[in-house]
Amino acid sequence: TNNMEIDITSLEGMDMWPLSHSCAEGGQNAGAETWRAAQEAANEHCLLNTPDKLESFRDWLKTWGAWSDEEIAAMGNSDLNALFLQWVAGDTREAGADSLDEIDWSEYEKRAEKGECNSNLFRGTEGRIYFNLCY
């Protein structure tokens, strides 16, 4: 098992809705609109900013089976960062919040332990927030 924790504390006050919402919430263009918003956000928030982080995210993506190895290898750094931000946003919204600072961490941990939501997000003992790439 490989594991890398990406510090996402800098996203704490960001509204995640523009990066991840459904057609039911945002209309039939939700997919294109959320991808465009994620690409714009990735220009400001480049969190996969080392070769190790980029490679870990690529390896983590492979475990989902949604893209071929060739497709993942062809993804550029900005697209990888945009996709990462969408994943953070999706997990934040699944946790019942529109921003990281709205998450009830004790409730989130209970729900994650029960399998009711993803468990990629966590708050460290020092108050920083991380996304765990575990594969």
Side-chain angles (χ1 to χ4, degrees), residues 16-27 29-31 33-34 93:
M16 298 294 180
W17 189 87
L19 307 180
S20 178
H21 58 264
S22 67
C23 292
E25 295 172 299
N29 293 325
E33 290 170 4
T34 57
R93 299 209 60 235

Side-chain angles (χ1 to χ4, degrees), residues 9 12 100-103 105 108-109 121-130:
T9 309
E12 197 166 16
L100 293 168
D101 57 356
E102 292 177 1
I103 293 176
W105 290 100
Y108 173 75
E109 289 173 19
L121 304 171
F122 72 95
R123 182 180 286 278
T125 54
E126 73 292 351
R128 300 199 68 76
I129 303 171
Y130 298 91

Side-chain angles (χ1 to χ4, degrees), residues 71-115:
E71 288 172 318
I72 292 170
M75 290 180 187
N77 293 359
S78 62
D79 282 346
L80 288 167
N81 271 281
L83 187 56
F84 178 71
L85 288 176
Q86 282 198 307
W87 226 290
V88 170
D91 283 9
T92 301
R93 299 209 60 235
E94 188 177 283
D98 282 328
S99 64
L100 293 168
D101 57 356
E102 292 177 1
I103 293 176
D104 178 333
W105 290 100
S106 60
E107 182 65 25
Y108 173 75
E109 289 173 19
K110 290 175 193 168
R111 289 183 58 224
E113 286 174 9
K114 293 178 187 175

Side-chain angles (χ1 to χ4, degrees), residues 31-86:
E33 290 170 4
T34 57
W35 181 242
R36 190 168 32 258
Q39 288 177 308
E40 289 173 13
N43 291 329
E44 292 178 42
H45 303 278
C46 180
L47 299 179
L48 304 178
N49 53 9
T50 68
D52 285 348
K53 290 177 183 177
L54 288 162
E55 196 56 38
S56 269
F57 187 61
R58 280 190 170 100
D59 290 343
W60 186 76
L61 286 176
K62 291 175 186 177
T63 67
W64 294 94
W67 302 273
S68 69
D69 288 354
E70 294 78 20
E71 288 172 318
I72 292 170
M75 290 180 187
N77 293 359
S78 62
D79 282 346
L80 288 167
N81 271 281
L83 187 56
F84 178 71
L85 288 176
Q86 282 198 307

